[in-house]
Amino acid sequence: MTNTIAERILDFLKGFPPFDYLSYDELLHISTQIKVLYYEKGDHIFKQNEALHDYFYVVKDGAVGLYSDNTLIDECDEGDIFGLRAVIRKDLYLLNAIAEEESIIYGIPAKSIDDIIINNLQANQFILASFATNTRHPYSSENKGKLFANETILQPNASSFTEVQSASFSKNPITCQPIITIKEASVIMSQSNIGSIIITENNRPIGIITDKDLRHKIATGKHDISEHVTAIMSAPVITFPKHITVAEAQIAMLNHGISHLCITKDGTINSELVGILSEHDIIVIHGNNPSVLIKEIKRASSANQLQMIMQKAQLLMKNYIEQNIPVGFITNIISAINDAITKRCIQLSIDELQEELPTSFAWLAIGSQGRKEQLLLTDQDNALVYEDVQNDAVVKSYFLRLSKAVNNKLNVVGFEFCPAEMMASNPKWCLSVSQWKAQFKNWITHPDEDKILLCNIFFDYDFVFGNHDLVDQMSDSIFEAIDNYEIFLNFMGRNALRNPPPLSFFRNFLVEDSGDHKDQFDIKARAIMPLVDAARLLILSHEIKDINSTMARYKKLGDLEPQNKDLYDSCINAFRILLRFRTQHGLKRNDSGRFIDIKNLNKNDRLKLKGCFKPVKDIQELVKIRFKLSQLL
């Protein structure tokens, strides 16, 4: 007789990994043993430190949040597996699993892992790859369910961050000698409030005791607490060098069925112990990752909560920089977090005003945030555009109040008010779409030094929130005005050359000759902005919109002008180095990183900077020739 319920379960499971790797008979066997569970919102499926269930779980309908204490680690929805790690490890649960909404969950017998899933090569590889890359579906071209970052903020060819991230480990492991008793070791563990102790000889790790050992070997009566620790220690220990990655750590823990790794000086069991890495450390790393921060942002109910999240994001960025993660990847991640925070500030402000939106609008990030190049917490630059309406004064009044509320929240988060008031709360930068069009046309057809400067700032806008169609209309009006007044690009070109190449005739750094930063090198004005300005000008000349970042602009230019691809590639590399250098300098000095004291640079850093200056000079020369600027300079 046909088991209709089992077949319905089978039809559901076969659409999700690793079940899609199983044969029909294997999957049917599992489906007949599945327990269908119902949970209301707020119900626990399992709790942290709870004894292992006989099941791991798949979400059929609804959503389940996984929490470390009160910190959301991940949210599982239809087809996602959770509770699998504990089943494989056969240990207590490390997380709380809570129904985020009314949910139907499939409980899959743990026995099926050993009987079928682990013995299926593809399913087995999927599970290991999932844990190693912290990805629910590591082979998906669409990166479905990526835990550490949203698909939209990853570079297309970027490898999983967890494959390269160095794992943070405890550098002060608690140790004991092999001659002490289990009772003495337990007292040390209790007093130190730790879950493991390493047994060492001549500072070399020879074994480890964990809470699990005490439960299974002492509480069960198998051993007496008066015995030496060597009687119950797990040996040999698994060792790795200091620069072990998160991926390596996860794979090692899964393959060996352990929760702790010993870190030694040279990575072998015969060298000095320098630290210990626990599974809890891995969870903490995952708890401070971009996707978790994004989820925290969406749940934040105040600017103060967003400020705390931004502090985490800055720490994350600092770690990325220190680990030499590609700067393009870092800018994508941090920009996505900045955008998410801005969106939340806008939504909170709309809710606080308690008024119906008078018409549609769009919030724009401008300047470095618009180019997605704002890594350090500098001042905010933004603008607002709203749909054309008849009662403009009333509508503008609303959006100015909204903008002021948003700017104030962003200030609390950590983005200082713009000294030049380039913010949406300034009536000059809170306009209807027709007013923006008219203003752009005026800047383009009647250019002067101030208007060109405004173009450099506002032409790098990026849509953040609201009605994207309004932004498209603004972009179209810019190209229409340039087509009717092409000499405008020549004026922009002249402005792009306002800063000479960063080196003097004698190959010395051009430094400030007066003011607060006398004898310091302005890395922003002398090196970064010439690359930014040239990229903007050249991409405008090709009438390309919706590409705002400097590196993306040069990449597109390389596609459009193959004859100049080598130059554009060198500009990308120079920009990456300069942006990283400025960010490192800013983090070190806790400022914007703009002004560099050349005298304090070592020879390597001097050479690194000077190596970036030739592309600056070459791109300025290309601009000078292409836009026939010799007679205008």
Side-chain angles (χ1 to χ4, degrees), residues 88-103:
I88 293 176
R89 283 275 325 285
K90 296 180 172 57
D91 202 354
L92 303 180
Y93 289 106
L94 293 177
L95 301 174
N96 294 305
I98 303 173
E100 298 287 287
E101 55 190 67
E102 191 176 32
S103 302

Side-chain angles (χ1 to χ4, degrees), residues 103-122:
S103 302
I104 295 175
I105 309 295
Y106 288 159
I108 302 178
K111 192 172 183 296
S112 65
I113 293 180
D114 295 328
D115 291 348
I116 296 175
I117 297 177
I118 293 299
N119 292 323
N120 181 293
L121 179 61
Q122 289 178 299

